[in-house]
Amino acid sequence: MGEAREVMDRLTAAVTTDLDMDAVAELYARDAVAWVPEAGELRGRDEIVEYWRQMTTAVPGARYESLHAFEVGATAIDEGYFSGRNTGPLRVPDGRSVPATGKEVRIRGVDVATVEDGRIVSYRLYFDQLAFLEQLGLLPETVV
Protein backbone atom coordinates (compact mmCIF):
# COMPACT_ATOMS: atom_id res chain seq x y z
CA MET A 1 0.00 0.00 0.00
CA GLY A 2 1.33 3.40 -0.96
CA GLU A 3 1.11 6.79 0.69
CA ALA A 4 -2.01 7.97 -1.20
CA ARG A 5 -3.95 4.83 -0.26
CA GLU A 6 -2.93 5.08 3.39
CA VAL A 7 -3.93 8.78 3.59
CA MET A 8 -7.30 8.13 1.90
CA ASP A 9 -8.03 5.25 4.28
CA ARG A 10 -7.20 7.49 7.26
CA LEU A 11 -9.52 10.21 5.90
CA THR A 12 -12.37 7.73 5.49
CA ALA A 13 -11.90 6.53 9.07
CA ALA A 14 -11.70 10.11 10.40
CA VAL A 15 -15.08 11.06 8.88
CA THR A 16 -16.84 7.80 9.72
CA THR A 17 -15.80 5.22 12.32
CA ASP A 18 -13.20 7.31 14.19
CA LEU A 19 -14.86 10.77 13.74
CA ASP A 20 -11.87 13.03 14.37
CA MET A 21 -11.79 16.53 12.85
CA ASP A 22 -8.25 17.13 14.12
CA ALA A 23 -7.14 14.08 12.13
CA VAL A 24 -9.04 15.39 9.09
CA ALA A 25 -7.21 18.71 9.38
CA GLU A 26 -3.84 16.95 9.58
CA LEU A 27 -4.58 14.97 6.42
CA TYR A 28 -5.04 18.04 4.19
CA ALA A 29 -2.30 20.42 3.05
CA ARG A 30 -2.85 23.99 4.22
CA ASP A 31 -3.50 25.11 0.61
CA ALA A 32 -5.45 22.02 -0.50
CA VAL A 33 -8.29 22.38 -2.98
CA ALA A 34 -11.42 20.22 -2.86
CA TRP A 35 -14.52 19.93 -5.00
CA VAL A 36 -17.78 18.63 -3.54
CA PRO A 37 -21.18 18.49 -5.28
CA GLU A 38 -23.21 20.64 -2.90
CA ALA A 39 -20.62 23.38 -2.26
CA GLY A 40 -18.44 23.38 -5.37
CA GLU A 41 -14.81 24.37 -4.88
CA LEU A 42 -13.37 24.62 -1.39
CA ARG A 43 -10.01 26.36 -0.99
CA GLY A 44 -7.71 25.65 1.91
CA ARG A 45 -7.68 23.24 4.82
CA ASP A 46 -10.05 25.32 6.96
CA GLU A 47 -12.87 25.34 4.36
CA ILE A 48 -12.45 21.62 3.73
CA VAL A 49 -12.48 20.74 7.43
CA GLU A 50 -15.60 22.89 7.90
CA TYR A 51 -17.30 20.94 5.09
CA TRP A 52 -16.51 17.64 6.83
CA ARG A 53 -17.62 19.08 10.17
CA GLN A 54 -21.03 19.96 8.66
CA MET A 55 -21.38 16.52 7.05
CA THR A 56 -20.44 14.64 10.22
CA THR A 57 -22.80 16.82 12.27
CA ALA A 58 -25.62 16.05 9.83
CA VAL A 59 -24.86 12.31 9.75
CA PRO A 60 -22.85 11.41 12.86
CA GLY A 61 -21.77 7.81 13.17
CA ALA A 62 -21.76 7.35 9.40
CA ARG A 63 -20.45 4.14 7.93
CA TYR A 64 -18.51 3.51 4.75
CA GLU A 65 -18.82 0.36 2.66
CA SER A 66 -16.03 0.07 0.11
CA LEU A 67 -16.83 -1.29 -3.33
CA HIS A 68 -13.52 -0.48 -5.02
CA ALA A 69 -10.26 1.04 -3.81
CA PHE A 70 -7.49 2.00 -6.20
CA GLU A 71 -4.17 3.75 -6.07
CA VAL A 72 -2.42 5.15 -9.12
CA GLY A 73 0.82 6.92 -8.29
CA ALA A 74 0.05 9.73 -5.86
CA THR A 75 -3.73 9.40 -6.28
CA ALA A 76 -6.17 7.20 -4.35
CA ILE A 77 -9.66 6.52 -5.71
CA ASP A 78 -12.51 5.03 -3.68
CA GLU A 79 -15.98 3.97 -4.73
CA GLY A 80 -18.45 2.95 -2.09
CA TYR A 81 -21.51 3.66 0.01
CA PHE A 82 -21.75 6.31 2.72
CA SER A 83 -24.64 5.56 5.05
CA GLY A 84 -26.13 6.69 8.33
CA ARG A 85 -29.00 8.54 9.97
CA ASN A 86 -29.51 12.27 9.53
CA THR A 87 -29.74 13.50 13.13
CA GLY A 88 -28.21 16.95 12.75
CA PRO A 89 -28.87 20.04 10.63
CA LEU A 90 -27.85 19.79 6.99
CA ARG A 91 -26.70 22.49 4.61
CA VAL A 92 -28.48 21.98 1.27
CA PRO A 93 -27.13 23.04 -2.15
CA ASP A 94 -28.82 26.48 -2.07
CA GLY A 95 -26.93 27.31 1.15
CA ARG A 96 -29.84 26.96 3.58
CA SER A 97 -29.60 24.79 6.66
CA VAL A 98 -32.48 22.39 7.21
CA PRO A 99 -33.31 20.57 10.44
CA ALA A 100 -32.55 16.88 10.82
CA THR A 101 -35.03 14.53 9.18
CA GLY A 102 -34.15 11.47 11.26
CA LYS A 103 -34.06 9.42 8.05
CA GLU A 104 -31.50 6.85 7.00
CA VAL A 105 -29.41 7.53 3.89
CA ARG A 106 -27.24 5.28 1.75
CA ILE A 107 -25.42 7.13 -1.00
CA ARG A 108 -23.02 5.70 -3.56
CA GLY A 109 -20.07 7.95 -4.29
CA VAL A 110 -16.53 8.27 -5.56
CA ASP A 111 -13.64 10.07 -3.81
CA VAL A 112 -10.39 11.01 -5.56
CA ALA A 113 -7.46 12.27 -3.47
CA THR A 114 -4.02 13.31 -4.68
CA VAL A 115 -1.36 13.25 -1.98
CA GLU A 116 2.00 15.00 -1.69
CA ASP A 117 4.32 14.68 1.30
CA GLY A 118 1.70 12.79 3.31
CA ARG A 119 -1.13 15.31 2.85
CA ILE A 120 -4.03 15.64 0.46
CA VAL A 121 -3.45 18.51 -1.97
CA SER A 122 -6.39 17.85 -4.29
CA TYR A 123 -9.67 16.14 -3.38
CA ARG A 124 -12.82 15.49 -5.38
CA LEU A 125 -16.05 13.91 -4.16
CA TYR A 126 -18.86 12.80 -6.46
CA PHE A 127 -22.26 11.56 -5.32
CA ASP A 128 -25.87 11.74 -6.45
CA GLN A 129 -27.31 14.78 -4.68
CA LEU A 130 -30.79 14.03 -5.96
CA ALA A 131 -30.76 10.55 -4.39
CA PHE A 132 -29.40 12.04 -1.15
CA LEU A 133 -32.14 14.69 -0.93
CA GLU A 134 -34.80 12.17 -1.97
CA GLN A 135 -33.78 9.75 0.80
CA LEU A 136 -33.97 12.61 3.28
CA GLY A 137 -37.46 13.52 2.06
CA LEU A 138 -36.31 17.01 1.04
CA LEU A 139 -37.46 17.01 -2.58
CA PRO A 140 -40.73 18.70 -3.46
CA GLU A 141 -43.49 16.38 -4.55
CA THR A 142 -43.83 16.33 -8.31
CA VAL A 143 -47.13 16.91 -10.00
CA VAL A 144 -48.02 14.32 -12.63
Side-chain angles (χ1 to χ4, degrees), residues 2 7 22 37 71 85 110 112:
V7 169
D22 290 335
E71 183 178 47
R85 183 176 300 279
V110 174
V112 180

Side-chain angles (χ1 to χ4, degrees), residues 42-56:
L42 305 173
R43 293 202 154 272
R45 177 189 296 157
D46 294 343
E47 281 188 23
I48 297 167
V49 170
E50 182 55 30
Y51 168 78
W52 284 118
R53 187 178 322 283
Q54 290 172 13
M55 284 300 288
T56 59

Side-chain angles (χ1 to χ4, degrees), residues 104-124:
E104 287 281 335
V105 295
R106 186 169 187 257
I107 305 298
R108 189 173 187 158
V110 174
D111 300 71
V112 180
T114 300
V115 175
E116 291 177 8
D117 298 321
R119 290 200 164 79
I120 299 168
V121 294
S122 173
Y123 177 82
R124 290 164 308 286

